Coordinates of all heavy atoms in Angstrom, one line a residue:
M1 N 138.7 34.0 43.4 CA 138.7 35.4 43.8 C 140.1 35.8 44.1 O 140.9 35.1 44.7 CB 137.8 35.5 45.0 CG 137.6 37.0 45.4 SD 136.7 37.9 44.2 CE 135.1 37.3 44.6
F2 N 140.4 37.0 43.6 CA 141.7 37.6 43.9 C 141.6 38.9 44.7 O 140.6 39.6 44.6 CB 142.5 37.9 42.6 CG 143.0 36.6 41.9 CD1 142.1 35.8 41.1 CD2 144.3 36.2 42.1 CE1 142.6 34.7 40.5 CE2 144.7 35.0 41.5 CZ 143.9 34.3 40.7
R3 N 142.7 39.2 45.4 CA 142.7 40.5 46.1 C 143.9 41.3 45.8 O 145.0 40.7 45.5 CB 142.7 40.2 47.6 CG 141.3 40.0 48.1 CD 141.3 39.8 49.6 NE 140.0 39.4 50.1 CZ 139.2 40.3 50.7 NH1 139.5 41.6 50.7 NH2 138.0 39.9 51.1
C4 N 143.8 42.6 45.8 CA 144.9 43.5 45.5 C 145.8 43.4 46.7 O 145.4 43.4 47.9 CB 144.4 44.9 45.4 SG 145.7 46.1 45.3
A5 N 147.1 43.3 46.4 CA 148.1 43.1 47.5 C 148.4 44.4 48.2 O 149.0 44.5 49.3 CB 149.4 42.5 47.0
V6 N 147.9 45.5 47.6 CA 148.2 46.9 48.1 C 147.1 47.3 49.0 O 147.2 47.7 50.1 CB 148.5 47.9 47.0 CG1 148.8 49.3 47.5 CG2 149.7 47.4 46.1
C7 N 145.9 47.3 48.4 CA 144.7 47.9 49.1 C 143.7 46.9 49.6 O 142.7 47.2 50.2 CB 144.1 49.0 48.3 SG 143.3 48.3 46.8
K8 N 144.0 45.6 49.3 CA 143.2 44.5 49.7 C 141.8 44.6 49.1 O 140.8 44.0 49.6 CB 143.0 44.5 51.3 CG 144.4 44.5 52.0 CD 145.2 43.3 51.7 CE 146.5 43.3 52.6 NZ 147.5 44.3 52.2
E9 N 141.7 45.3 48.0 CA 140.4 45.4 47.3 C 140.2 44.1 46.5 O 141.1 43.5 46.0 CB 140.4 46.6 46.4 CG 139.0 47.0 46.0 CD 138.2 47.6 47.1 OE1 138.8 48.0 48.1 OE2 136.9 47.6 46.9
R10 N 139.0 43.7 46.4 CA 138.7 42.5 45.6 C 138.7 42.8 44.2 O 138.2 43.8 43.7 CB 137.3 41.9 46.0 CG 137.3 41.1 47.3 CD 136.0 40.4 47.4 NE 136.0 39.6 48.7 CZ 134.9 39.0 49.2 NH1 133.8 39.1 48.6 NH2 135.0 38.2 50.2
I11 N 139.3 41.9 43.4 CA 139.4 42.0 42.0 C 138.4 41.2 41.3 O 138.3 40.0 41.5 CB 140.8 41.6 41.5 CG1 141.9 42.2 42.4 CG2 141.0 41.9 40.0 CD1 141.9 43.7 42.3
K12 N 137.6 41.9 40.5 CA 136.5 41.2 39.9 C 136.9 40.7 38.5 O 136.2 39.9 37.9 CB 135.2 42.1 39.8 CG 134.7 42.4 41.1 CD 133.5 43.4 40.9 CE 133.4 44.3 42.2 NZ 132.5 45.4 42.0
T13 N 137.9 41.3 38.0 CA 138.4 41.0 36.6 C 138.8 39.5 36.6 O 139.6 39.1 37.4 CB 139.5 41.9 36.2 OG1 139.2 43.2 36.5 CG2 139.7 41.8 34.7
D14 N 138.4 38.8 35.6 CA 138.8 37.5 35.5 C 140.3 37.4 35.0 O 140.7 38.2 34.2 CB 137.9 36.7 34.5 CG 138.0 37.1 33.1 OD1 137.3 38.1 32.7 OD2 138.9 36.6 32.3
M15 N 141.0 36.4 35.5 CA 142.4 36.4 35.3 C 142.8 35.9 33.9 O 144.0 35.8 33.6 CB 143.0 35.4 36.4 CG 142.8 35.9 37.8 SD 143.5 37.6 38.0 CE 145.2 37.2 38.2
S16 N 141.9 35.7 33.1 CA 142.2 35.3 31.7 C 142.7 36.6 31.0 O 143.4 36.5 30.0 CB 141.0 34.7 31.0 OG 139.9 35.6 31.0
T17 N 142.3 37.7 31.5 CA 142.8 39.0 30.9 C 144.2 39.2 31.2 O 144.6 39.1 32.4 CB 141.9 40.1 31.3 OG1 140.5 39.8 31.2 CG2 142.2 41.4 30.5
V18 N 145.0 39.6 30.3 CA 146.4 39.9 30.5 C 146.6 41.3 30.9 O 146.0 42.2 30.3 CB 147.3 39.6 29.3 CG1 148.7 39.8 29.6 CG2 147.1 38.2 28.8
G19 N 147.3 41.6 32.0 CA 147.6 42.9 32.4 C 146.5 43.6 33.1 O 146.2 44.7 32.8
I20 N 145.9 42.9 34.0 CA 144.8 43.6 34.8 C 145.4 44.5 35.8 O 146.5 44.3 36.3 CB 143.9 42.5 35.4 CG1 144.6 41.7 36.5 CG2 143.2 41.7 34.3 CD1 143.7 40.9 37.3
Q21 N 144.6 45.4 36.3 CA 145.0 46.3 37.3 C 143.9 46.4 38.4 O 142.7 46.1 38.1 CB 145.2 47.7 36.8 CG 146.6 47.9 36.1 CD 146.8 49.3 35.7 OE1 146.1 49.8 34.9 NE2 147.8 50.0 36.2
C22 N 144.3 46.7 39.6 CA 143.3 47.0 40.6 C 142.5 48.2 40.3 O 143.1 49.2 39.9 CB 144.0 47.2 42.0 SG 142.9 47.7 43.3
E23 N 141.2 48.1 40.3 CA 140.3 49.2 40.0 C 140.5 50.3 41.0 O 140.1 51.5 40.8 CB 138.9 48.8 40.0 CG 138.6 47.8 38.8 CD 137.2 47.3 38.8 OE1 136.4 47.7 39.7 OE2 136.8 46.6 37.9
N24 N 140.9 50.0 42.2 CA 141.0 51.0 43.3 C 142.2 51.8 43.3 O 142.2 53.0 43.3 CB 140.8 50.2 44.6 CG 140.4 51.2 45.7 OD1 139.6 52.0 45.6 ND2 141.1 51.1 46.8
C25 N 143.4 51.1 43.2 CA 144.7 51.8 43.3 C 145.6 51.6 42.1 O 146.6 52.2 42.0 CB 145.4 51.3 44.6 SG 145.9 49.6 44.5
G26 N 145.2 50.7 41.2 CA 146.0 50.6 40.0 C 147.1 49.7 40.1 O 148.0 49.6 39.3
A27 N 147.2 49.0 41.2 CA 148.3 48.1 41.5 C 148.2 46.8 40.6 O 147.1 46.5 40.2 CB 148.4 47.7 42.9
K28 N 149.3 46.2 40.4 CA 149.3 45.0 39.6 C 149.7 43.7 40.3 O 150.2 42.8 39.8 CB 150.1 45.2 38.3 CG 149.6 46.2 37.4 CD 150.5 46.4 36.2 CE 150.0 47.5 35.3 NZ 150.9 47.8 34.2
V29 N 149.7 43.9 41.6 CA 150.1 42.7 42.4 C 148.9 42.2 43.2 O 148.2 42.9 43.8 CB 151.2 43.2 43.5 CG1 151.7 42.0 44.2 CG2 152.3 43.9 42.8
F30 N 148.7 40.9 43.0 CA 147.5 40.3 43.6 C 147.8 39.0 44.3 O 148.9 38.4 44.0 CB 146.4 40.0 42.5 CG 146.1 41.2 41.6 CD1 146.8 41.3 40.4 CD2 145.3 42.2 42.1 CE1 146.5 42.4 39.6 CE2 145.1 43.3 41.2 CZ 145.7 43.4 40.0
Y31 N 147.0 38.6 45.1 CA 147.1 37.3 45.7 C 145.8 36.6 45.7 O 144.7 37.2 45.7 CB 147.8 37.3 47.1 CG 146.9 38.0 48.1 CD1 146.0 37.3 48.9 CD2 147.1 39.4 48.4 CE1 145.3 38.0 49.9 CE2 146.4 40.0 49.4 CZ 145.5 39.3 50.1 OH 144.7 40.0 51.1
K32 N 145.8 35.3 45.8 CA 144.6 34.5 45.8 C 143.9 34.7 47.1 O 144.4 34.8 48.1 CB 144.9 33.1 45.5 CG 144.8 32.6 44.1 CD 144.8 31.1 44.0 CE 144.6 30.7 42.5 NZ 144.7 29.2 42.4
D33 N 142.6 34.7 46.9 CA 141.7 34.8 48.1 C 140.8 33.6 48.2 O 139.7 33.7 47.8 CB 140.9 36.1 48.0 CG 140.1 36.3 49.3 OD1 140.5 35.8 50.3 OD2 139.1 37.0 49.2
P34 N 141.3 32.5 48.7 CA 140.5 31.3 48.7 C 139.4 31.5 49.7 O 139.6 32.1 50.8 CB 141.5 30.3 49.2 CG 142.6 31.0 49.9 CD 142.7 32.3 49.2
P35 N 138.2 30.9 49.4 CA 137.0 31.0 50.2 C 137.2 30.4 51.6 O 136.6 30.8 52.5 CB 135.9 30.4 49.4 CG 136.7 29.5 48.4 CD 138.0 30.1 48.2
N36 N 137.9 29.3 51.6 CA 138.1 28.6 52.9 C 139.6 28.5 53.2 O 140.3 27.6 52.8 CB 137.5 27.2 52.8 CG 136.0 27.3 52.6 OD1 135.3 28.1 53.3 ND2 135.4 26.5 51.7
V37 N 140.0 29.4 54.0 CA 141.4 29.4 54.4 C 141.6 28.6 55.7 O 142.6 27.9 55.9 CB 141.9 30.9 54.6 CG1 143.4 30.9 55.0 CG2 141.7 31.7 53.4
K38 N 140.6 28.8 56.5 CA 140.8 28.2 57.8 C 140.6 26.7 57.8 O 139.6 26.2 57.2 CB 139.7 28.8 58.8 CG 140.1 30.2 59.2 CD 139.1 30.6 60.3 CE 139.4 32.1 60.7 NZ 138.4 32.6 61.7
K39 N 141.5 26.0 58.3 CA 141.4 24.6 58.4 C 141.1 24.2 59.9 O 141.9 24.5 60.8 CB 142.6 23.9 58.0 CG 142.7 23.8 56.4 CD 143.9 22.9 56.1 CE 144.0 22.8 54.5 NZ 145.2 22.0 54.2
V40 N 140.0 23.6 60.0 CA 139.6 23.2 61.4 C 139.9 21.7 61.6 O 139.3 20.9 60.9 CB 138.1 23.5 61.7 CG1 137.8 23.1 63.1 CG2 137.8 25.0 61.5
L41 N 140.8 21.4 62.4 CA 141.2 20.1 62.7 C 140.8 19.7 64.1 O 141.3 20.3 65.0 CB 142.7 19.8 62.5 CG 143.1 20.0 61.0 CD1 144.6 19.8 61.0 CD2 142.4 19.0 60.1
K42 N 139.9 18.8 64.2 CA 139.5 18.4 65.6 C 140.3 17.1 66.0 O 140.1 16.1 65.3 CB 138.0 18.1 65.6 CG 137.2 19.4 65.6 CD 135.8 19.2 65.9 CE 135.0 20.5 66.0 NZ 133.6 20.2 66.4
A43 N 141.0 17.3 67.0 CA 141.7 16.1 67.5 C 140.8 15.3 68.4 O 140.1 15.9 69.3 CB 143.0 16.5 68.3
R44 N 140.8 14.0 68.3 CA 140.0 13.2 69.1 C 140.7 12.8 70.4 O 141.9 12.4 70.3 CB 139.5 12.0 68.3 CG 138.4 12.4 67.4 CD 137.8 11.2 66.7 NE 138.7 10.6 65.7 CZ 138.4 9.5 65.0 NH1 137.3 8.8 65.3 NH2 139.3 9.1 64.1
Ligands
ZN1 ZN1 144.5 48.0 44.9

């Protein structure tokens, strides 16, 4: 999953397409939106 770096909208377009744009604002800058960002480390 990717997100628009401008409006934080989720990008549904698969990244195999060259030159995709944000459907919301037309930006071409995106960042990865990994499903699990939080790392929970329990110290014993
Ligand atoms: Zn956008």
Side-chain angles (χ1 to χ4, degrees):
M1 187 66 75
F2 286 84
R3 275 179 187 268
C4 172
V6 178
C7 66
K8 308 296 187 288
E9 196 73 18
R10 277 189 180 174
I11 309 299
K12 296 173 205 167
T13 316
D14 66 272
M15 295 305 279
S16 59
T17 313
V18 181
I20 65 168
Q21 278 184 300
C22 172
E23 292 179 358
N24 196 48
C25 69
K28 293 178 181 175
V29 185
F30 311 97
Y31 64 88
K32 263 192 176 179
D33 185 26
N36 294 313
V37 182
K38 286 185 180 175
K39 280 187 179 178
V40 181
L41 295 177
K42 283 191 178 182
R44 283 187 285 179

